[in-house]
Amino acid sequence: MLEGLEICEVPFSRVIGNDIVRMESEFYNSNTVSYKNTVKASQIIDFSQYGTSKELNEMGEGYPVLRLNEFNYSFISHPDKYCSLLDIDAYHGLQLKKDDVLICRTNGNPKFVGRSAIVPKDYDYAFASYLFRIRPNRKYINSATLVAFLNSKYGRLEIEKYSMVGNQANFSPAKFREISIPVFSKDLNDKIEDITYRAFQKLEMSESLYSEAANNMLECLDLNDFTASSNSCNVKTLKESFIETGRLDAEYYQPKYDDILHHIQAYKYGSKNLAEICDIKDENFTPKDDTTYKYVELANIGKYGNIIGCSQQKGEDLPSRARRIVSKNDVVISSLEGSLDSCALVEEDYDGALCSTGFYVLKSSVLNSETLLVLFKSPLVKELMRKGCSGTILTAIGRQELERIPIPLIRQEIQEEIAQHVQSSISLRKESQQLLEHAKLTVEGAIQNGGGGKIASEYYVLQEKSAMELHIAIYVLLHEVDIISNDAKVKVSNVVCSCKKLSDSFLASGRLDAEYYQPKYDLLFEKLKGFPTATIKEIATIQKSIEPGSDAYQEEGIPFIRVANLSKFGLSNSDVKLDTTQFADTIRPQKDTILLSKDGSVGIAYKMEETQDVITSSAILHLQLTTPNVLPDYLTLVLNSIVVKLQAERDAGGSIIQHWKPSEIEHVIIPILPMNEQQMIANKVKQSFKMREDAQDLLLQAKCIIETAIEK
């Protein structure tokens, strides 16, 4: 019964002698550093510091802030987030200096906790709060040797020993001070430092070569000076576009917040803060375990202000966030920045349902529910909500910020007109759904009779009419508050506009979103007209792998590669495995296959240098060239360049997680340069990858030297 039981016997003095009292046997196992000369890390630290916890942004506003995402092997790369809330003194206090060591103190994945990197030169970067930095005393160990040790198997044992407490992993500076650090000879320290900085030089050369290859390609395409302005937009006349497409949204026009506030404040019938005219239902409802409830979550909110189904669950099975009860004519709005457009009018079918605490539930005695819905569907309020969002990982608008949003006191006759259009939209949508249901019931007979197209056609007509009614309602509102004029011109300053016909937009692409038609994309395609081009479908096959689900994950078997394991420079090791027998016939990436991410971080491309026995998730597509006129290294570079990044930005959709459909990827336009230019570019890419391999080999060599020294 006790077979396999492990017992660890230690004196009580060892238990109470630790600064951090630990009682579990795993803490005292024998898998620790047994080098002849060790010291506590507390003896080697000259300095330690946490990073900033202030809100970060992706707009380039403020100072760049390094995160774990930018750990590049044992070094760091350029941050992609910024902080505008740091004052100059705080920023100077967090600037990274040569030979700083950065360590991850907390992460959802325990394997990332304790991960470390050396700062090889001075950088104008601050760093985030879930990292801390130390500066070791060179009398004991230099920074390069310390990082090599921490990333070695013996360093990981020490980190895991002190970081794992229960199910949570945290490696604070206090815990770092407790680990054992081997004190090596000066010769070994110097050797590791030399190897590390040689590796860094190779990595810099690799990145320089890759950038040079990318710049060469852009120069050949006359795109080296191309800038994708985020301040431009497309507008159409009301007759040609708005009523049909509803593309009058905040992202489309990108108005200044002051412009919006000015228009609201100038509304001749006045305005009040939301808190003054709306009740926010935020009382928590406790469901009964044995009662079945309708539960509405973010995925159940349709794009036209409707709820599209819900789950039905017993109270005991509901998630803890299912705590808001809704009533007929309530308006539910999402608080998350990535899904501010997700708002809906609660219809009778969902009276008494529960919704997530990620929603605000509103009702007003001043505005009818339809007008309230249209306000939150309009760019008017969406932009002000976006302004009020804060947070680091999931940004959302807090109640106080929501309550401060000014709401125009729309006159009654306009409210009634808006309500008519919204209700017409609802009726048309219900009619279309009934028609679709009828189509489902009669599809077999329709096929047998060689028809069936008429029902489907009528369904889409009704859906478009429904959308049009909602768009008209939004137009009525915006016209009322003087955001747009009678000829549908937008009264927002500093907006660059271009016009398209309906035949050039919706009828050609089937897209209803404004982002798709921004002029920056037109500019890109205009540039590409001067070169031979082909779509991906014309030059490559596209294969999709599988999504086995987390139930299939195991510790042994074939490595399962997800988007998180994919970068333009290669595949990282995955700790997720799949059963070898069950997935024996699943496709494997072959030599020269190009892997391309379509979900999450879309548009990451990597060319396989060799065939690997790994399985990729369904979020990663396999591209195989079918023509000798395009080199795989060249195509990969184009896929990672602004040429395709902009097309991915245009096409990909999703409120929180981006999705790029294979049917859209097939039509991505690739410029085809002459073969000699492709070859020149491909050679630089190959050199870049060789330098990265050399850098990795050097870092591995340093780690092996450390481990060998400990084991002697």
Side-chain angles (χ1 to χ4, degrees):
M1 183 174 178
L2 298 178
E3 184 179 352
L5 179 66
E6 295 183 6
I7 297 174
C8 184
E9 183 177 349
V10 295
F12 187 63
S13 59
R14 275 190 68 192
V15 176
I16 64 173
N18 289 291
D19 293 340
I20 305 172
V21 178
R22 302 288 290 268
M23 298 293 291
E24 71 272 24
S25 62
E26 291 85 355
F27 184 79
Y28 299 97
N29 64 36
S30 59
N31 295 322
T32 54
V33 176
S34 57
Y35 189 64
K36 58 189 176 184
N37 186 13
T38 64
V39 296
K40 286 290 187 183
S42 56
Q43 293 180 245
I44 66 123
I45 295 179
D46 283 346
F47 173 82
S48 67
Q49 183 185 25
Y50 285 109
T52 180
S53 59
K54 294 186 180 295
E55 181 184 350
L56 306 181
N57 67 80
E58 297 179 350
M59 285 81 74
E61 298 174 355
Y63 302 108
V65 178
L66 191 88
R67 302 171 299 146
L68 182 62
N69 306 51
E70 286 86 45
F71 276 30
N72 185 12
Y73 301 111
S74 294
F75 306 107
I76 61 176
S77 56
H78 183 73
D80 59 9
K81 290 210 173 182
Y82 296 77
C83 182
S84 59
L85 303 177
L86 283 173
D87 59 47
I88 187 68
D89 291 335
Y91 166 64
H92 285 317
L94 291 171
Q95 275 185 285
L96 295 174
K97 304 296 182 184
K98 185 176 184 296
D99 287 336
D100 282 348
V101 174
L102 290 171
I103 301 173
C104 176
R105 69 176 181 88
T106 183
N107 192 273
N109 187 341
K111 294 188 176 183
F112 288 157
V113 174
R115 187 176 172 186
S116 62
I118 186 174
V119 179
K121 62 182 182 181
D122 292 350
Y123 287 100
D124 294 327
Y125 308 157
F127 58 101
S129 60
Y130 50 82
L131 306 175
F132 67 92
R133 72 166 160 187
I134 63 164
R135 293 176 191 155
N137 187 329
R138 291 183 65 91
K139 182 176 92 174
Y140 295 100
I141 194 169
N142 62 43
S143 297
T145 306
L146 176 60
V147 169
F149 167 71
L150 292 174
N151 289 333
S152 74
K153 62 182 180 181
Y154 296 105
R156 289 305 308 173
L157 284 172
E158 286 292 299
I159 291 167
E160 289 168 8
K161 176 179 176 180
Y162 285 90
S163 65
M164 292 303 298
V165 181
N167 296 322
Q168 298 296 318
N170 182 280
F171 192 56
S172 64
K175 292 177 180 179
F176 174 80
R177 289 184 173 88
E178 290 295 314
I179 71 171
S180 296
I181 303 290
V183 180
F184 301 109
S185 68
K186 183 178 183 303
D187 287 345
L188 191 141
N189 267 279
D190 291 346
K191 185 175 183 179
I192 297 299
E193 189 170 54
D194 176 66
I195 290 172
T196 300
Y197 277 94
R198 279 165 50 203
F200 176 65
Q201 289 172 359
K202 295 232 180 234
L203 201 57
E204 280 201 311
M205 291 172 64
S206 168
E207 292 173 354
S208 176
L209 281 166
Y210 192 91
S211 296
E212 190 177 335
N215 290 334
N216 285 158
M217 181 199 67
L218 294 175
E219 188 174 348
C220 291
L221 297 170
D222 195 30
L223 288 171
N224 50 319
D225 295 325
F226 180 84
T227 53
S229 173
S230 60
N231 294 319
S232 56
C233 61
N234 284 341
V235 294
K236 301 178 186 179
T237 65
L238 175 64
K239 181 180 179 181
E240 290 180 330
S241 66
F242 180 75
I243 292 179
E244 296 291 335
T245 67
R247 293 189 287 105
L248 191 60
D249 54 276
E251 281 188 272
Y252 186 59
Y253 292 104
Q254 299 177 1
K256 301 291 185 181
Y257 300 130
D258 289 345
D259 291 332
I260 296 175
L261 290 169
H262 170 75
H263 281 287
I264 293 175
Q265 292 162 358
Y267 181 56
K268 59 185 175 181
Y269 297 100
S271 64
K272 289 185 178 180
N273 288 348
L274 184 140
E276 299 178 77
I277 64 170
C278 289
D279 293 325
I280 302 177
K281 300 168 67 174
D282 60 355
E283 301 86 2
N284 277 343
F285 173 81
T286 304
K288 297 178 180 178
D289 288 349
D290 58 351
T291 301
T292 299
Y293 299 89
K294 292 181 178 180
Y295 174 52
V296 177
E297 49 191 331
L298 194 61
N300 301 124
I301 305 299
K303 64 185 296 184
Y304 298 119
N306 57 314
I307 298 174
I308 47 174
C310 65
S311 62
Q312 297 198 42
Q313 302 178 45
K314 284 190 174 181
E316 60 186 357
D317 298 324
L318 285 167
S320 59
R321 59 185 180 275
R323 292 295 183 269
R324 298 280 187 269
I325 194 165
V326 300
S327 305
K328 181 183 177 183
N329 291 330
D330 284 346
V331 175
V332 295
I333 61 171
S334 169
S335 63
L336 299 176
E337 184 179 15
S339 56
L340 294 178
D341 196 49
S342 296
C343 51
L345 178 65
V346 179
E347 298 171 48
E348 190 171 358
D349 291 346
Y350 299 100
D351 186 43
L354 298 179
C355 73
S356 165
T357 52
F359 291 106
Y360 288 110
V361 183
L362 306 180
K363 182 165 282 186
S364 174
S365 58
V366 177
L367 302 175
N368 62 37
S369 300
E370 293 86 357
T371 301
L372 196 59
L373 170 71
V374 168
L375 275 165
F376 280 94
K377 291 292 290 183
S378 74
L380 202 65
V381 175
K382 277 195 296 186
E383 268 303 301
L384 295 181
M385 287 185 69
R386 186 170 288 110
K387 179 184 179 183
C389 287
S390 61
T392 53
I393 300 174
L394 281 179
T395 54
I397 184 169
R399 175 162 177 156
Q400 288 186 337
E401 288 289 341
L402 181 70
E403 289 179 335
R404 283 198 288 265
I405 291 176
I407 301 295
L409 301 176
I410 307 297
R411 51 193 172 123
Q412 192 62 40
E413 56 266 38
I414 298 297
Q415 288 192 48
E416 291 172 0
E417 185 178 351
I418 289 170
Q420 288 176 7
H421 289 299
V422 171
Q423 289 301 327
S424 293
S425 175
I426 292 171
S427 297
L428 287 163
R429 192 167 55 245
K430 287 181 176 179
E431 189 178 343
S432 71
Q433 291 301 123
Q434 291 169 357
L435 192 61
L436 186 61
E437 185 63 28
H438 177 57
K440 288 179 183 177
L441 294 174
T442 60
V443 66
E444 289 184 2
I447 293 171
Q448 290 170 2
N449 295 326
K454 186 174 184 297
I455 291 176
S457 175
E458 289 177 1
Y459 165 77
Y460 288 112
V461 168
L462 289 171
Q463 284 283 331
E464 288 183 12
K465 286 183 177 179
S466 171
M468 183 180 69
E469 288 289 344
L470 182 61
H471 299 153
I472 292 174
I474 298 173
Y475 167 78
V476 170
L477 173 73
L478 295 177
H479 182 269
E480 172 68 12
V481 296
D482 202 33
I483 289 290
I484 56 179
S485 63
N486 285 323
D487 59 356
K489 291 184 177 176
V490 183
K491 299 182 178 180
V492 178
S493 63
N494 301 319
V495 178
V496 181
C497 301
S498 64
C499 297
K500 290 181 181 290
K501 297 178 180 179
L502 181 61
S503 59
D504 295 331
S505 54
F506 177 67
L507 294 181
S509 67
R511 294 291 293 261
L512 298 174
D513 52 298
E515 172 68 22
Y516 188 85
Y517 298 104
Q518 288 199 33
K520 59 185 177 183
Y521 308 127
D522 293 339
L523 181 59
L524 170 68
F525 294 129
E526 190 64 32
K527 286 276 190 180
L528 294 181
K529 283 182 180 178
F531 303 90
T533 60
T535 64
I536 288 180
K537 186 179 182 179
E538 292 171 332
I539 61 174
T541 60
I542 300 177
Q543 283 185 288
K544 185 178 174 182
S545 189
I546 60 166
E547 191 54 57
S550 57
D551 291 344
Y553 295 173
Q554 55 186 43
E555 294 183 357
E556 299 294 332
I558 304 171
F560 183 56
I561 302 298
R562 294 169 290 181
V563 174
N565 304 116
L566 175 67
S567 79
K568 64 183 180 181
F569 295 115
L571 304 179
S572 63
N573 294 328
S574 174
D575 56 355
V576 176
K577 307 291 193 300
L578 299 178
D579 182 77
T580 304
T581 304
Q582 184 180 353
F583 298 98
D585 297 330
T586 305
I587 63 168
R588 308 292 202 266
Q590 305 297 304
K591 185 178 186 298
D592 288 338
T593 295
I594 299 171
L595 302 181
L596 179 67
S597 62
K598 71 174 187 68
D599 297 329
S601 300
V602 302
I604 302 171
Y606 169 68
K607 190 207 78 174
M608 299 295 298
E609 297 300 321
E610 300 292 339
T611 298
Q612 286 194 36
D613 190 24
V614 298
I615 294 174
T616 63
S617 83
S618 61
I620 300 174
L621 300 176
H622 293 217
L623 276 61
Q624 198 75 46
L625 279 163
T626 56
T627 173
N629 298 325
V630 180
L631 297 178
D633 286 299
Y634 168 75
L635 176 57
T636 306
L637 187 69
V638 175
L639 291 171
N640 284 317
S641 75
I642 192 172
V643 174
V644 173
K645 290 293 183 188
L646 275 177
Q647 296 183 65
E649 179 187 311
R650 181 191 68 161
D651 293 342
S655 56
I656 299 175
I657 298 176
Q658 292 287 287
H659 300 284
W660 197 13
K661 299 176 183 176
S663 59
E664 295 167 331
I665 294 171
E666 287 181 344
H667 294 96
V668 165
I669 295 174
I670 304 296
I672 313 297
L673 290 176
M675 184 54 64
N676 63 322
E677 292 179 350
Q678 287 191 45
Q679 192 63 65
M680 177 267 293
I681 291 167
N683 288 340
K684 289 183 178 179
V685 172
K686 290 180 184 295
Q687 292 177 48
S688 168
F689 276 75
K690 179 62 169 64
M691 291 291 181
R692 293 185 74 85
E693 288 177 7
D694 291 347
Q696 286 180 276
D697 289 343
L698 285 167
L699 292 174
L700 182 61
Q701 183 183 336
K703 190 167 67 171
C704 289
I705 290 172
I706 294 288
E707 292 174 354
T708 302
I710 292 173
E711 290 167 357
K712 284 183 178 178

